[in-house]
Amino acid sequence: MSMSDGRTSDTQRGTERLVVIGGDAAGMSAASQARRLKGPGELEIVAFERGNFTSFSACGIPYWVSGDVPDRDRLIARSAEEHRERDIDLRMRTEVMEIDVPGGRVRARDLETGAESWTSYDKLVIATGARPIRPDLPGVDAPGVHGVQTLDDGQALLDTLATTEGRRAVVVGAGYIGVEMAEALIKRGYEVTVVNRGAEPMSTLDPDMGRLVHEAMEGLGITMVNDAEVTKLLTGDDGRVRAVATEDAEYPADVVVLGIGVRPETTLARAAGLPVGDHGGLLTDLAMRVRGHENIWAGGDCVEVLDLVSGQERHIALGTHANKHGQVIGANVGGGYATFPGVVGTAVSKVCDLEIARTGLREKDADRAGLRFESVTIESTSRAGYYPGAALMTVKMLAEHRTGRLLGVQIVGREGAAKRVDIAAVALTAGMTVEQMTALDLGYAPPFSPVWDPVLVAARKATAAVRAHAR
């Protein structure tokens, strides 16, 4: 559709306009926070979302697929109608096709009608999220092959599970998405194989800790295939997927879930000449303003963030960060002031009753940053050993040579393991040493922890290692 003049009516307006690209966590948090600070008479807000849903929890999709969350709507924090009631002009099923930075406008297409139009902006928020990595392999687009990034993706997978006669599932990838989807499919009664290119599952952990996840997954009846690169997806006479092939073997599949990870969705931003980093994400300042552009902000999975431990930029796709980015952007757009200082890389997950947590740096991250460190691993229990239900957990801790500064913590265990990583996350943010951590006044009672919490046991051992190295 040709548009020789799409801005005539726009340029006659007197109210300042904020345009938001992306209707999920970062985008709508920014829009909502800006609206709290400025009313419709001061700030017009127009938001574009190409999908069918807004403000939803992508992190909850595996638990909806598993049946732990009974229906889709529970994953929607705020509907399009609720946003509109707050005087946000949210245009669903409308995709922004171009950002004209010099002209201060965006070109959007209505995906239902195909109609295109320009909308000018005084301030722009880019919250385009991330896109799932979908390898360029034969058969990857066959029926029965699914990604799980949006609610539409989750519904499509559930529809397949409801209509597929076979009960064999292959998950490609063993990161957070892959592990969580393996659990969901086990709960659905499927025979599950996970094909993983890494030496162990959960590459966000060091391999020795990933090995604990591997053993636990096999204990749940999941077949783990590590060090395996998928070469193609095989299809049957009906065109549906029937197997996943590596160089050495074929794994029968009635359904395939891709859990390989995501990349920042910065296609629009790149085309508009906005700055992106080494990991493909937009680069912003502490106020989440795109570097070099006074009236453009970006947040969520499409940006890179500062790692407070290594001092390097990273791409971390998490809803916690996206919502915080949106709050910061909305405050600044609305005339207030806020900053996002960075992250320490905290994340938790689970596979059935096994809890997995990490924060800070892995060994290879510390090596890459040029840091010298001590690494210690301890085993302890979630409660006092004599109290019923005490479960084993393993804690790994990294501390910097000489200074003893905490660099990272990984925890794998049963009930009560994962959220203990928050102790380490606070310590990392505060720049504490492992010796300082040993004096933390943590809560204690036999039903909740041993006298020495497992994190503090690891801190004591790390302190001893730092001192021994110094000697």
Side-chain angles (χ1 to χ4, degrees):
M1 177 178 177
S2 175
M3 297 169 294
S4 59
D5 183 8
R7 294 189 293 164
T8 304
S9 60
D10 263 354
T11 56
Q12 304 305 315
R13 60 191 170 80
T15 305
E16 187 176 55
R17 176 181 289 160
L18 167 66
V19 167
V20 178
I21 307 174
D24 200 10
M28 298 318 295
S29 290
S32 297
Q33 179 67 1
R35 174 55 75 226
R36 292 185 191 102
L37 297 175
K38 284 191 173 182
E42 299 175 282
L43 181 69
E44 179 187 0
I45 303 176
V46 180
F48 297 99
E49 168 53 46
R50 66 184 179 185
N52 291 302
F53 303 96
T54 182
S55 299
F56 65 89
S57 171
C59 301
I61 293 173
Y63 309 109
W64 169 37
V65 173
S66 72
D68 291 337
V69 176
D71 64 78
R72 180 188 64 201
D73 288 350
R74 296 199 181 191
L75 301 182
I76 300 173
R78 188 169 290 173
S79 68
E81 291 73 20
E82 289 173 315
H83 283 300
R84 292 174 187 135
E85 288 171 1
R86 291 165 171 79
D87 293 303
I88 296 171
D89 180 4
L90 176 55
R91 303 176 188 181
M92 302 297 293
R93 297 287 295 153
T94 307
E95 182 174 8
V96 173
M97 310 302 293
E98 180 184 354
I99 302 171
D100 175 11
V101 174
R105 59 179 186 163
V106 302
R107 176 169 59 89
R109 175 186 296 162
D110 185 315
L111 297 179
E112 302 296 337
T113 67
E116 295 188 0
S117 61
W118 288 97
T119 301
S120 62
Y121 64 81
D122 300 292
K123 297 177 179 179
L124 176 68
V125 174
I126 301 172
T128 44
R131 64 181 183 276
I133 297 172
R134 199 172 184 93
D136 185 16
L137 296 173
V140 76
D141 295 320
V145 181
H146 294 268
V148 282
Q149 181 75 359
T150 67
L151 295 187
D152 287 319
D153 295 336
Q155 188 61 61
L157 175 57
L158 284 171
D159 292 343
T160 292
L161 298 179
T163 57
T164 298
E165 294 183 4
R167 310 300 292 177
R168 298 168 301 181
V170 174
V171 177
V172 180
Y176 292 108
I177 296 172
V179 165
E180 290 168 356
M181 290 308 304
E183 174 187 357
L185 292 164
I186 280 283
K187 288 189 172 183
R188 286 276 176 181
Y190 277 74
E191 176 186 328
V192 179
T193 299
V194 177
V195 180
N196 174 39
R197 66 186 301 180
E200 298 291 353
M202 299 297 293
S203 62
T204 51
L205 305 176
D206 286 323
D208 55 335
M209 297 295 281
R211 181 68 191 176
L212 300 177
V213 179
H214 177 169
E215 293 169 354
M217 291 176 72
E218 289 193 330
L220 296 167
I222 297 169
T223 300
M224 285 298 308
V225 181
N226 292 316
D227 288 318
E229 189 80 41
V230 174
T231 56
K232 57 185 173 181
L233 282 71
L234 305 177
T235 55
D237 294 338
D238 58 358
R240 292 184 56 82
V241 69
R242 66 170 180 82
V244 171
T246 67
E247 291 183 356
D248 303 317
E250 294 181 7
Y251 302 94
D254 302 298
V255 61
V256 173
V257 175
L258 303 175
I260 306 172
V262 298
R263 293 192 181 100
E265 178 49 86
T266 52
T267 306
L268 278 174
R270 286 176 182 272
L274 300 178
V276 298
D278 293 340
H279 304 283
L282 277 160
L283 297 176
T284 66
D285 62 17
L286 290 175
M288 302 307 299
R289 184 183 285 106
V290 174
R291 294 179 191 176
H293 295 270
E294 184 68 22
N295 294 315
I296 304 177
W297 287 259
D301 294 353
C302 66
V303 306
E304 296 186 11
V305 293
L306 176 65
D307 186 312
L308 296 175
V309 186
S310 70
Q312 299 174 338
E313 299 287 341
R314 297 177 62 186
H315 176 248
I316 302 177
L318 280 177
T320 52
H321 301 160
N323 281 284
K324 291 172 186 174
H325 293 168
Q327 289 289 306
V328 169
I329 292 168
N332 292 319
V333 168
Y337 174 74
T339 62
F340 184 81
V343 303
V344 294
T346 309
V348 296
S349 187
K350 77 178 189 75
V351 53
C352 295
D353 67 340
L354 183 76
E355 300 183 2
I356 308 157
R358 57 74 47 88
T359 190
L361 307 182
R362 300 164 296 180
E363 290 186 358
K364 66 179 182 181
D365 299 325
D367 285 333
R368 190 180 299 120
L371 295 167
R372 298 181 64 191
F373 58 91
E374 295 292 335
S375 174
V376 302
T377 302
I378 65 99
E379 288 188 350
S380 185
T381 54
S382 58
R383 304 171 180 175
Y386 56 80
Y387 193 88
L392 188 70
M393 75 173 67
T394 303
V395 181
K396 182 173 184 178
M397 185 171 288
L398 274 62
E400 188 177 19
H401 279 177
R402 294 190 180 181
T403 68
R405 177 172 66 110
L406 178 67
L407 296 179
V409 171
Q410 300 164 40
I411 305 175
V412 176
R414 260 65 191 187
E415 182 185 3
K419 288 297 284 180
R420 274 184 163 87
V421 81
D422 289 341
I423 302 168
V426 172
L428 282 168
T429 304
M432 295 179 70
T433 67
V434 288
E435 185 170 5
Q436 288 172 329
M437 289 181 67
T438 63
L440 288 174
D441 185 13
L442 304 182
Y444 161 70
F448 301 106
S449 75
V451 171
W452 281 93
D453 187 272
V455 173
L456 299 192
V457 175
R460 291 178 68 184
K461 188 172 181 179
T463 300
V466 170
R467 287 176 176 170
H469 176 82
R471 288 195 296 271

